[in-house]
Amino acid sequence: MKGKILIKSLMVIIILALSCSYVFTSVSLAREKTPIEIYNPNFKFPTEPITLTFWEIYGSRPGWLEWARKVASEYSQIHPNVKVKVREIPLKEYPIIFQSAMQTNTMADVFCMFRYRIHEWGLALPAPDWAVKIFKTQYIDAANSWQRYPESGSRKEYQGKYLGWISSELDAGQMLYYNKDMFKEAGLDPNKPPKTSPELLEYMKKLTKYGPGGNIVRGGWAIRYLGHKGGIEEKWTAFLFWWHDCRKGRIFTEDWKHIQAWDSPDFVAAVKFYQDMVWKWKVASIEMPVPTEAFKLGLAAMTNRESFLEGILKRDAPWIHYGIAPIVYGAPPYGQYKEGVWTANQLSCVWKGTKYPQIAWDFNMFLNNDKHDLEISKIAGGIPRRKANQDTPYAKSIKWLDVFKEAYRRPLVRAEEYDPYGLFGNLEDVLGDAVVTCLLDPNADPKTELKKARAKAEEILRSAIEAQKK
Amino acid sequence: MGVKISREKWGYIFVIPGVLWYGLFMLYPMYYAIILSAHRWMGVETNPLFVGLDNFKEIFTDSLFYKSTVNTFYFTFISVSLTTFTALFIAILLTKVIKLRAIYRTFYFLPSVAGVVAVGIIWTWCYQPTFGLFNRILQVLHLPPSRWIMDPRLALFCVAITQAWMRLGFNVIVFLAGLLTIPEQFYDAAKVDGASGFHQLIHITLPLARPIITFLLIYNTIYGLTVFGEVYMLTEGGPGSATYTVAYLMYETAFRYSRMGKGSAMALFLFVIILVITVIQMKFFERRTQIEY
């Protein structure tokens, strides 16, 4: 008898537990519902079958593509009539693919892209009000400032508008990576990385090792001299901003009508310093692989890169004991400025020509709701963008959180990639050409090379301005 | 009552898909490139802006374009010379091999089967100064290391060698096929007359292989002048601008800087250059390729 009562009681408890779990699940699913249903009650979610496409350009980064597919599948669970196709776009080929897609009306509804390209090609559909409200209230300030185009001089439709969320990682921009074991070996304190430009040079000299023929077998600094000239110029900019006030910009003058005085003493000094690192002080080698590889392989003691290098090091070279610090600032006799920080520059946006603007924006925000923001931050090795995730154990465990805070205390670089003529990449390469010429040739005169580059850039700009007038 | 279609009409019907394919994917893009060369277009606007000859003025005053053109000719000269004459030499040797000829032929042809991406990755590693294969070999031989593709003076030559290596197999096969058609009696007669191997090469082999040499020279020249994949994979135009070629600059201009009109003007320039060189080559060899056995 007692046994039957016990079984009945157990069954009642099980049924109650199941009911409770069902209710909780429903509630949590309801909380998972996408913002459009919460903030835009007038929009009736369609019931017919819909296919959205999502293109991402970071498939090569570990875990990104799998994550995107998982989120797409979660979205289809909430909206069974919506199927999201995820496609990886190779980073090297993205311009051809995007341009072809725009011409043939086969663009993705949602995509990740560099901000200057979004601007140059006029890709994005600005965020609807409900999404803007989310950006303004639920995102940290550092993320917020990069989600719109406050300084856009040309595209009026973008001025001050939010175009998407930062899609790769929110990081501290260029950071100093240094090998702690090499520091110890050279008699340097591994917990005291260089802070100023004279210190940096002193450290480089102590850390460089030479072979019997005088060739560098371990660089004090891994220098970027290969690949796209714009990429070379970008890494060099961290040195330029010791001399040059970053708020003035490095490509255009403030009226956007001319090129900065590239042959002025500040630019010349920065190129000369870079050239001397290779040829005079011999602390950096132009025989090493690219900095990421050189640092990973233990061929260089220091370099500067974004936060993703940490993910690469964890994956490919877990034996490297490294530290991360803010990029070095200028101090006499090598420059004077402490500024020079700019951060993540890719956004996840909605294509302006999408057939489903409401649903596409809904999915775009779903990609970066609180849960997914934390997930992708962990995968990309960046700081979560949403306020709700700032106190999570993950956010607190970020090795370079202090670097990030330090970076945001410094003034941000003028966001000049939003140039009105879509010339940023081209002109960046022209400046990079002068930098790399001096890196490769000890006899190249920085002033002469920069003067030539400036003249060429002025000509390109003049032609673009004339064309725009037409 | 079926409609009767003449044999001749059937011919035209069968040719239609090929003509459509060629027209759509070759002629139309060529026509469109000519039109675009007179416009400024970023590839995204609906209405390209007509700028007349501005794109041509721009490219002819661009020092990088000038450098890329010089590089292209230098590259073509090295690549064509290496490919054609090495292949001819190997093919002549292979005609003397009877037993393992098929194996040798396969061996030489293998690099032609590999894609340019795979070849690029392998050769990048071979050329790497710090841990690459070639410097390891030099180290074993107690010779000084080289910077290979990292050296602006050597880089283009290194890329040309890579292309020559890739193209060699195809050239060997074509040469071999041609050389094997030369009647054996010619050599027998020459031997009877006391001609040495060298004399047989100069007076029989080379004159009779002239049509194939002409074909391969033209083919390799076009291939050299339009080089892109090898540059893209090995050096991306660097170090600095040392390995920029017209085709690579064209790609950068059109797809990196979104200047489709300027890129098209470069394409048109390259087309004219190829056309002129091909016509010259054909005229030069025309009189010399009439062979009767």
Side-chain angles (χ1 to χ4, degrees):
Chain A
M1 190 67 181
K2 272 186 182 175
K4 277 187 177 177
I5 293 169
L6 194 69
I7 290 167
K8 275 184 181 174
S9 308
L10 270 173
M11 282 182 72
V12 169
I13 291 167
I14 290 167
I15 289 164
L16 273 172
L18 284 172
S19 310
C20 286
S21 65
Y22 174 76
V23 170
F24 279 124
T25 313
S26 311
V27 169
S28 61
L29 272 177
R31 282 175 66 190
E32 281 287 314
K33 273 188 180 176
T34 52
I36 202 154
E37 288 166 295
I38 300 163
Y39 295 102
N40 191 6
N42 298 328
F43 178 66
K44 199 182 167 200
F45 219 87
T47 50
E48 76 266 19
I50 287 167
T51 302
L52 286 183
T53 45
F54 173 47
W55 287 0
E56 60 87 24
I57 54 176
Y58 301 104
S60 56
R61 293 191 185 176
W64 229 101
L65 194 63
E66 293 76 12
W67 172 81
R69 287 192 175 131
K70 180 191 80 86
V71 177
S73 150
E74 284 175 18
Y75 193 74
S76 295
Q77 280 169 22
I78 297 168
H79 303 291
N81 62 319
V82 182
K83 191 182 169 194
V84 183
K85 283 186 182 172
V86 179
R87 187 181 162 196
E88 177 194 345
I89 304 294
L91 195 56
K92 253 185 164 181
E93 311 301 334
Y94 84 84
I96 300 175
I97 295 172
F98 270 70
Q99 283 169 326
S100 311
M102 280 183 274
Q103 286 305 310
T104 51
N105 209 17
T106 51
M107 259 294 289
D109 300 282
V110 181
F111 57 89
C112 307
M113 184 43 62
F114 297 103
R115 284 176 306 161
Y116 82 91
R117 286 295 195 191
I118 294 167
H119 177 259
E120 186 178 306
W121 292 338
L123 295 173
L125 180 72
D129 291 344
W130 61 264
V132 172
K133 199 172 167 185
I134 297 174
F135 282 134
K136 283 183 177 171
T137 56
Q138 297 180 27
Y139 280 71
I140 58 169
D141 291 342
N144 233 341
S145 63
W146 290 103
Q147 280 160 343
R148 56 202 165 97
Y149 284 84
E151 297 183 42
S152 173
S154 61
R155 286 197 174 271
K156 288 206 169 53
E157 73 266 32
Y158 286 174
Q159 275 186 336
K161 290 190 177 162
Y162 287 80
L163 298 179
W165 53 274
I166 295 173
S167 61
S168 54
E169 64 265 320
L170 183 60
D171 64 11
Q174 297 286 316
M175 302 189 290
L176 173 72
Y177 284 79
Y178 63 98
N179 188 309
K180 288 189 169 182
D181 291 339
M182 292 177 187
F183 266 51
K184 275 185 209 163
E185 194 194 310
L188 298 166
D189 184 345
N191 297 314
K192 285 187 180 167
K195 283 185 175 175
T196 65
S197 44
E199 269 176 26
L200 179 70
L201 181 58
E202 188 195 320
Y203 276 52
M204 284 177 190
K205 285 178 180 172
K206 285 183 180 167
L207 287 160
T208 307
K209 266 188 170 180
Y210 304 94
N215 59 313
I216 294 175
V217 289
R218 184 180 81 192
W221 186 264
I223 205 162
R224 172 78 183 267
Y225 70 99
L226 283 174
H228 275 307
K229 291 167 190 169
I232 296 168
E233 187 269 348
E234 190 193 57
K235 308 303 169 293
W236 164 79
T237 304
F239 293 78
L240 169 71
F241 288 152
W242 295 348
W243 285 273
H244 182 71
D245 185 349
C246 68
R247 287 160 296 190
K248 289 180 183 168
R250 67 192 195 275
I251 305 286
F252 297 96
T253 52
E254 285 181 45
D255 61 2
W256 302 97
K257 287 180 182 164
H258 292 283
I259 299 298
Q260 284 280 350
W262 286 351
D263 48 347
S264 60
D266 45 355
F267 278 79
V268 172
V271 175
K272 184 83 177 71
F273 187 92
Y274 225 41
Q275 191 183 33
D276 285 348
M277 278 167 63
V278 174
W279 298 103
K280 184 180 168 188
W281 301 312
K282 297 187 192 312
V283 291
S285 167
I286 52 166
E287 291 180 3
M288 299 265 176
V290 290
T292 306
E293 292 296 308
F295 192 79
K296 198 170 83 177
L297 295 167
L299 296 169
M302 294 187 285
T303 195
N304 59 336
R305 285 255 41 168
E306 298 91 326
S307 67
F308 68 80
L309 179 55
E310 197 187 10
I312 292 174
L313 290 169
K314 277 181 186 164
R315 184 191 64 186
D316 297 349
W319 52 85
I320 299 266
H321 300 117
Y322 60 92
I324 303 176
I327 51 167
V328 170
Y329 56 76
Y334 308 114
Q336 54 175 316
Y337 290 106
K338 286 190 177 186
E339 297 87 351
V341 170
W342 80 103
T343 58
N345 70 348
Q346 297 96 21
L347 296 181
S348 184
C349 301
V350 170
W351 162 233
K352 68 178 178 188
T354 178
K355 267 196 272 181
Y356 312 107
Q358 299 274 16
I359 304 166
W361 258 108
D362 187 63
F363 175 69
N364 194 29
M365 295 310 286
F366 180 77
L367 276 166
N368 199 235
N369 63 19
D370 285 348
K371 178 182 162 230
H372 296 143
D373 178 51
L374 192 59
E375 285 174 1
I376 194 56
S377 298
K378 286 180 186 173
I379 291 167
I383 291 165
R385 306 133 185 90
R386 283 179 170 258
K387 285 179 183 170
N389 291 324
Q390 298 307 308
D391 290 328
T392 55
Y394 165 73
K396 287 179 178 169
S397 74
I398 295 169
K399 211 173 177 179
W400 41 273
L401 198 62
D402 290 339
V403 181
F404 176 77
K405 286 175 183 167
E406 159 76 16
Y408 272 88
R409 272 197 292 272
R410 302 184 194 184
L412 295 172
V413 175
R414 195 174 117 210
E416 60 189 352
E417 56 258 56
Y418 322 132
D419 71 275
Y421 318 105
L423 291 175
F424 178 74
N426 195 346
L427 299 179
E428 200 185 29
D429 278 5
V430 175
L431 180 54
D433 194 26
V435 175
V436 78
T437 302
C438 294
L439 271 187
L440 298 172
D441 181 1
N443 300 317
D445 174 34
K447 190 170 172 67
T448 311
E449 295 305 324
L450 284 164
K451 199 173 180 177
K452 276 196 279 183
R454 184 187 177 188
K456 185 175 178 181
E458 281 284 3
E459 182 56 31
I460 294 171
L461 179 58
R462 191 192 53 75
S463 152
I465 292 172
E466 275 178 17
Q468 206 173 59
K469 278 180 193 165
K470 284 180 189 172
Chain B
M1 287 293 282
V3 181
K4 272 195 174 179
I5 300 174
S6 69
R7 196 180 162 80
E8 197 178 79
K9 280 180 184 164
W10 271 118
Y12 284 111
I13 290 168
F14 281 122
V15 162
I16 285 171
V19 170
L20 281 178
W21 179 266
Y22 187 76
L24 202 60
F25 294 108
M26 300 294 284
L27 294 179
Y28 179 71
M30 276 169 72
Y31 159 78
Y32 200 64
I34 293 169
I35 300 294
L36 268 187
S37 67
H39 290 80
R40 196 181 177 96
W41 187 52
M42 286 173 73
V44 290
E45 316 95 305
T46 39
N47 294 317
L49 177 75
F50 180 77
V51 290
L53 294 173
D54 282 5
N55 287 324
F56 290 95
K57 277 184 210 160
E58 219 175 298
I59 66 169
F60 289 127
T61 51
D62 185 346
S63 56
L64 187 57
F65 179 74
Y66 172 75
K67 185 172 186 181
S68 304
T69 308
V70 173
N71 280 352
T72 305
F73 284 122
Y74 171 75
F75 176 91
T76 306
F77 177 74
I78 301 290
S79 171
V80 172
S81 312
L82 274 174
T83 313
T84 314
F85 298 111
T86 314
L88 179 62
F89 177 70
I90 293 170
I92 290 168
L93 292 181
L94 283 178
T95 54
K96 310 292 173 200
V97 177
I98 307 291
K99 275 187 179 174
L100 297 170
R101 188 185 290 157
I103 292 172
Y104 280 112
R105 213 165 42 194
T106 312
F107 178 73
Y108 281 111
F109 192 67
L110 273 177
S112 306
V113 180
V116 70
V117 175
V119 170
I121 291 168
I122 292 165
W123 280 77
T124 304
W125 170 72
C126 291
Y127 284 133
Q128 216 298 318
T130 317
F131 46 76
L133 176 71
F134 295 149
N135 271 0
R136 281 290 155 96
I137 294 170
L138 291 177
Q139 198 181 4
V140 170
L141 299 172
H142 299 286
L143 290 169
S146 169
R147 284 165 57 201
W148 304 111
I149 49 171
M150 311 273 183
D151 184 339
R153 290 162 303 176
L154 264 185
L156 197 60
F157 186 74
C158 292
V159 180
I161 287 180
T162 307
Q163 195 191 57
W165 181 80
M166 264 192 87
R167 306 289 311 146
L168 191 70
F170 173 77
N171 279 253
V172 168
I173 297 296
V174 175
F175 269 130
L176 192 61
L179 294 179
L180 290 175
T181 61
I182 299 174
E184 200 59 33
Q185 302 92 296
F186 289 3
Y187 293 104
D188 293 340
K191 278 176 201 164
V192 170
D193 290 342
S196 66
F198 179 72
H199 280 107
Q200 287 174 41
L201 174 73
I202 298 294
H203 298 291
I204 302 172
T205 311
L206 289 183
L208 296 181
R210 215 175 265 148
I212 302 161
I213 295 173
T214 311
F215 163 72
L216 283 175
L217 273 178
I218 292 170
Y219 187 78
N220 291 337
T221 305
I222 293 172
Y223 214 87
L225 288 170
T226 55
V227 61
F228 171 76
E230 291 83 350
V231 174
Y232 185 69
M233 287 308 300
L234 283 166
T235 61
E236 289 187 273
S241 312
T243 53
Y244 265 77
T245 59
V246 175
Y248 186 75
L249 183 65
M250 187 172 81
Y251 162 80
E252 283 240 306
T253 307
F255 297 109
R256 188 164 149 74
Y257 308 144
S258 305
R259 296 288 310 276
M260 297 291 173
K262 193 174 168 186
S264 300
M266 289 178 188
L268 207 59
F269 169 81
L270 192 59
F271 171 74
V272 173
I273 292 290
I274 291 171
L275 188 72
V276 169
I277 291 179
T278 307
V279 169
I280 292 171
Q281 280 180 329
M282 288 178 83
K283 287 279 172 199
F284 184 75
F285 287 105
E286 198 178 39
R287 285 168 290 147
R288 297 169 170 80
T289 50
Q290 309 298 324
I291 295 166
E292 280 179 40
Y293 296 126

